[in-house]
Amino acid sequence: MCGVVAVIGKQYASQFVVEGLKKLEYRGYDSAGIASLCGGILQTVKSEGKLTNLINNLSQISNANLYSDSKISIGHTRWATHGNISVENAHPLTSENRVAVVHNGIIENYENIKNNLISEGYVFKSQTDTEVLPHLFMKYIKLGNNFLQAGRLVLQEIKGAFAFVAMSLDFPNELFVSRNSSPIAIGLGDKCNFVGSDARSIDHLTQKIIYLEDGDYALVQSNDVEIFNKNEEKANRKIINIKAEIGLVTKGGYKHFMEKEIFEQPVVIPQTISPFMNGISEIKIDLNKFGFKNKNTLLIAAAGTSYYAAMVGKYWIEHIADLPVIIDLASEYRYRKPSIFGQAAMLVISQSGESLDTLMALRHGKELGLITNAIVNVEGSTIDREADFSLHTRAGSEIGVASTKSFTSQLVVLFIIALALGKKFKNFKLSQIQKYSNYIHTLPSAIARMLNMENEIKSVAHNIKNAKSIIFLGRGLLYPLALEGALKLKEISYIHAEGFAAGEMKHGPIALIEDQVPVIMFLVSDGNEDKAISNLQEAFSRGAQIILIADKECIKKAPFAHFKIEIPNFETDFKYFLSPILMAIPAQLLAYHVANERGTDVDQPRNLAKSVTVE
Ligand code: M6R
């Protein structure tokens, strides 16, 4: 998704901006650009594609002093929404070469504003919604307003979810910054200041960060930052000290970040577990605080992979705590008038803490009077700050667009919540809860054993890499894993893949089975495995290529499978309850190796963004 970076008051500003943009690359983008004030002119350089193209363009432009002379510079990575991928539509967008703006989000009422500006003589060069911003600034500056006044007037005209930074040749020592729903951070330096879409994009410059709140805007100068709230009153926002994450952007010897992140799971899972446990089996979660004083229905909302984690959470919480759980796609929840009958609290799940759909669902739940809890990976993110209570996954930075270690970390936290609720509402015997709590500590070594299956998974990947379409099947706790396996595969390999509940096949999807279509099933013995194997047999009889990833017992029952990948031997209950975490590993490895063999851009797949900050 789009990212913005700005530097004011520091020599080599444009160089620092480019470094910041590199840190935002993980979000996904399709063009990039920067604008700097240099030698009394506004110099804009933009290019399609990766940042290396922008860097090449920068080194070729005639003004060789751009890097050394500029003390004020803004930059952008664009993920196309309005208008195709082109240099014209890349940011910064300018007006009369005197104002430049970089913008994340969408100006919803841009068409009306654009028509008015055209009738006033402004010429539009792009198809973007953003271009109204520099022209509006220009209009108000020409009317005699200073930069702050001009910015205020611009904000009065626009609607939508956005974060932007503007600079002007007429006010060479000022940046105007504003946020509404989309995140933005201001970094404080010594006689210089910085702006970034997230703290990480500017942590090479400062560790003192201020997050603007919704509706805030700021005038940023090299030696001053003035912040105002939506009522135009001066606002004091907390300064947060962040630790620079050194070594963050290295692949540590792996070919891709995704591969590194898959193999980090045995390390990040114990990191996630430890704040929630006292000793071996005592869980430290204050359920009363989270709105679980009484036995109410819990609502969980999330998007993408985080939604599949929510699905698993529903199965666990209902089974272990006998507490009803409703799960909802965040993008659907926010536009409904949901009944909150019997509900006291909601839980949102988000790796980035910035998914706009999930943030809006959280706000919707808050307006409806629910206590809002969040499972979130990025501390200090908007969802982390806005939720009443946060439970952090400590998966570390996840750079690959595909969620891997953050998914298993979310599952671990959900399992811990399920156990805490099970204990509180005395659904299971204490000894049983204790047994399951002990399981949590054996997870890291179990995951490491699952990772040892890589070579077998690689050979399956090699075999299916040219398939046109792939079907994933699962039942019960492993149904969400079928959906997750299909999502992982399609997003990075671009092969069409669908996940189905195995029992649903005969209600329609079985029509998709034709000769050699790969059908992949995750399975562990749970007493119902015969049913799942019958579903697999039905696909086999219609010519599908059957790939079964299962425990020994299930494999014995499906001799017809073309590929049988046996998972390591685990205790029966452990294997059953924690199967979604265990099976996430082959699902991730399979997607990774198929994509790697196909030579796709594994870490930044086409059209996708790491944090989705538009609707
Ligand atoms: O940051 P979030 O967890 O809120 O992101 C939600 C989805 O956008 C995300 O899980 C997406 O589906 C991943 N690319 C899947 O690998």
Side-chain angles (χ1 to χ4, degrees):
M1 215 72 343
C2 303
V4 306
V5 179
V7 169
I8 184 165
K10 194 168 175 77
Q11 189 116 31
Y12 307 114
S14 34
Q15 211 166 330
F16 288 116
V17 165
V18 172
E19 277 176 35
L21 293 179
K22 283 186 193 156
K23 293 179 163 209
L24 290 172
E25 275 195 296
Y26 74 96
R27 294 174 155 227
Y29 66 103
D30 37 54
S31 57
I34 71 167
S36 312
L37 290 188
C38 177
I41 58 163
L42 183 69
Q43 177 104 42
T44 307
V45 184
K46 311 198 276 190
S47 46
E48 278 182 36
K50 296 289 174 197
L51 270 180
T52 44
N53 299 346
L54 178 72
I55 293 165
N56 285 342
N57 279 354
L58 276 165
S59 61
Q60 278 164 21
I61 53 167
S62 52
N63 184 352
N65 292 331
L66 177 63
Y67 265 150
S68 53
D69 272 7
S70 63
K71 277 194 158 187
I72 174 167
S73 180
I74 61 177
H76 191 263
T77 47
R78 173 175 187 254
W79 187 80
T81 54
H82 291 66
N84 56 11
I85 302 163
S86 66
V87 170
E88 292 70 38
N89 290 336
H91 299 206
L93 273 305
T94 58
S95 181
E96 301 182 11
N97 232 15
R98 299 192 73 77
V99 175
V101 176
V102 286
H103 161 228
N104 174 11
I106 292 170
I107 309 296
E108 285 165 4
N109 59 338
Y110 82 100
E111 282 196 270
N112 275 346
I113 301 175
K114 185 171 175 175
N115 290 339
N116 292 341
L117 285 164
I118 290 173
S119 67
E120 290 167 32
Y122 287 90
V123 179
F124 281 74
K125 295 182 188 149
S126 76
Q127 302 155 309
T128 65
D129 53 329
T130 304
E131 199 178 345
V132 298
L133 294 173
H135 291 314
L136 280 176
F137 267 97
M138 200 63 244
K139 168 178 161 176
Y140 291 120
I141 290 169
K142 279 185 187 164
L143 288 171
N145 294 288
N146 64 28
F147 206 30
L148 180 63
Q149 288 160 344
R152 278 189 179 135
L153 291 163
V154 172
L155 290 179
Q156 283 167 20
E157 290 213 27
I158 59 174
K159 286 197 191 110
F162 51 78
F164 69 79
V165 185
M167 64 190 273
S168 161
L169 207 53
D170 298 283
F171 303 96
N173 301 314
E174 294 173 355
L175 293 170
F176 184 90
V177 183
S178 162
R179 108 155 246 197
N180 190 39
S181 292
S182 300
I184 205 142
I186 296 179
L188 307 178
D190 181 17
K191 299 194 193 91
C192 49
N193 288 309
F194 319 102
V195 184
S197 281
D198 60 26
R200 190 142 62 84
S201 61
I202 47 176
D203 71 0
H204 56 306
L205 295 162
T206 182
Q207 300 194 359
K208 280 194 216 153
I209 297 290
I210 296 173
Y211 289 104
L212 290 192
E213 291 185 7
D214 246 6
D216 281 358
Y217 57 93
L219 192 74
V220 180
Q221 296 167 285
S222 50
N223 50 6
D224 193 25
V225 175
E226 270 185 297
I227 301 175
F228 302 87
N229 65 20
K230 55 180 163 231
N231 303 320
E232 305 199 347
E233 299 150 347
K234 276 210 173 194
N236 271 327
R237 302 287 177 231
K238 211 162 88 189
I239 301 174
I240 295 168
N241 265 298
I242 51 147
K243 283 180 245 118
E245 292 182 68
I246 295 157
L248 183 77
V249 282
T250 71
K251 292 180 190 147
Y254 289 95
K255 186 170 173 194
H256 296 102
F257 282 109
M258 180 182 177
E259 190 188 12
K260 175 181 167 228
E261 286 155 6
I262 291 173
F263 280 88
E264 275 173 355
Q265 290 173 103
V267 178
V268 301
I269 296 296
Q271 272 169 212
T272 296
I273 293 167
S274 95
F276 297 113
M277 304 291 290
N278 251 347
I280 295 288
S281 55
E282 196 191 323
I283 295 169
K284 277 193 294 188
I285 293 188
D286 185 348
L287 291 172
N288 289 353
K289 185 168 93 176
F290 293 129
F292 301 127
K293 219 179 257 169
N294 304 308
K295 222 171 172 182
N296 292 308
T297 300
L298 173 66
L299 170 81
I300 314 183
T305 288
S306 298
Y307 175 76
Y308 298 144
M311 280 180 85
V312 175
K314 173 184 167 76
Y315 283 43
W316 275 334
I317 295 171
E318 293 194 342
H319 185 143
I320 300 173
D322 185 31
L323 196 81
V325 179
I326 297 173
I327 50 169
D328 221 323
L329 287 165
S331 54
E332 287 295 314
Y333 179 72
R334 63 171 297 199
Y335 287 114
R336 284 211 326 272
K337 259 192 142 231
S339 160
I340 57 157
F341 180 77
Q343 296 173 22
M346 85 182 289
L347 175 67
V348 298
I349 306 176
S350 175
Q351 185 285 128
S352 59
E354 301 294 354
S355 293
L356 193 60
D357 290 320
T358 311
L359 173 64
M360 291 305 183
L362 176 139
R363 289 184 182 165
H364 197 41
K366 214 175 235 189
E367 275 163 21
L368 293 169
L370 299 176
I371 293 177
T372 55
N373 302 302
I375 296 179
V376 68
N377 193 42
V378 180
E379 286 184 47
S381 57
T382 310
I383 290 177
D384 186 30
R385 285 178 284 120
E386 290 201 15
D388 295 323
F389 302 105
S390 292
L391 298 137
H392 296 128
T393 48
R394 296 188 196 274
S397 295
E398 194 176 66
I399 306 291
V401 159
S403 292
T404 51
K405 58 178 181 169
S406 60
F407 175 62
T408 45
S409 303
Q410 289 166 347
L411 290 180
V412 166
V413 176
L414 284 162
F415 189 66
I416 292 174
I417 293 176
L419 290 179
L421 289 167
K423 186 174 173 193
K424 180 175 172 73
F425 297 120
K426 300 189 176 54
N427 189 48
F428 273 17
K429 278 198 213 119
L430 201 58
S431 58
Q432 226 168 343
I433 296 281
Q434 244 148 22
K435 179 176 152 194
Y436 297 152
S437 305
N438 292 342
Y439 284 167
I440 296 170
H441 300 282
T442 53
L443 261 176
S445 64
I447 291 174
R449 290 174 68 196
M450 294 296 289
L451 285 166
N452 287 336
M453 295 162 57
E454 187 179 23
N455 281 338
E456 288 163 88
I457 302 283
K458 249 188 202 169
S459 71
V460 176
H462 180 73
N463 216 271
I464 60 171
K465 69 170 194 245
N466 293 321
K468 282 209 181 67
S469 184
I470 297 178
I471 290 173
F472 285 77
L473 298 181
R475 282 187 89 110
L477 275 168
L478 288 174
Y479 165 43
L481 254 289
L483 301 176
E484 169 63 1
L487 173 63
K488 212 89 305 170
L489 187 82
K490 75 180 106 175
E491 73 176 328
I492 60 168
S493 75
Y494 315 147
I495 297 177
H496 174 250
E498 292 295 330
F500 298 105
E504 275 298 293
M505 281 301 277
K506 57 191 173 299
H507 297 290
I510 201 163
L512 295 172
I513 303 286
E514 50 184 37
D515 210 28
Q516 289 308 305
V517 167
V519 171
I520 301 172
M521 181 179 267
F522 303 112
L523 189 62
V524 293
S525 21
D526 59 359
N528 291 322
E529 65 272 17
D530 291 346
K531 296 258 184 302
I533 289 170
S534 304
N535 301 139
L536 210 52
Q537 179 91 52
E538 287 152 14
F540 172 74
S541 313
R542 286 160 182 82
Q545 186 186 18
I546 304 294
I547 298 154
L548 180 61
I549 303 176
D551 59 17
K552 197 178 192 158
E553 297 79 359
C554 294
I555 288 202
K556 263 196 214 145
K557 293 181 180 179
F560 57 87
H562 298 97
F563 285 93
K564 304 176 198 77
I565 300 193
E566 189 182 313
I567 65 165
N569 192 19
F570 300 110
E571 194 237 306
T572 313
D573 253 12
F574 172 84
K575 175 170 73 183
Y576 165 64
F577 273 108
L578 294 169
S579 54
I581 299 179
L582 299 174
M583 289 299 191
I585 307 299
Q588 295 165 358
L589 286 172
L590 188 67
Y592 173 72
H593 284 295
V594 171
N596 190 31
E597 287 230 16
R598 287 166 68 90
T600 55
D601 190 346
V602 170
D603 287 330
Q604 288 165 27
R606 69 181 181 208
N607 304 338
L608 286 173
K610 183 65 184 165
S611 63
V612 183
T613 52
V614 293
E615 286 182 75

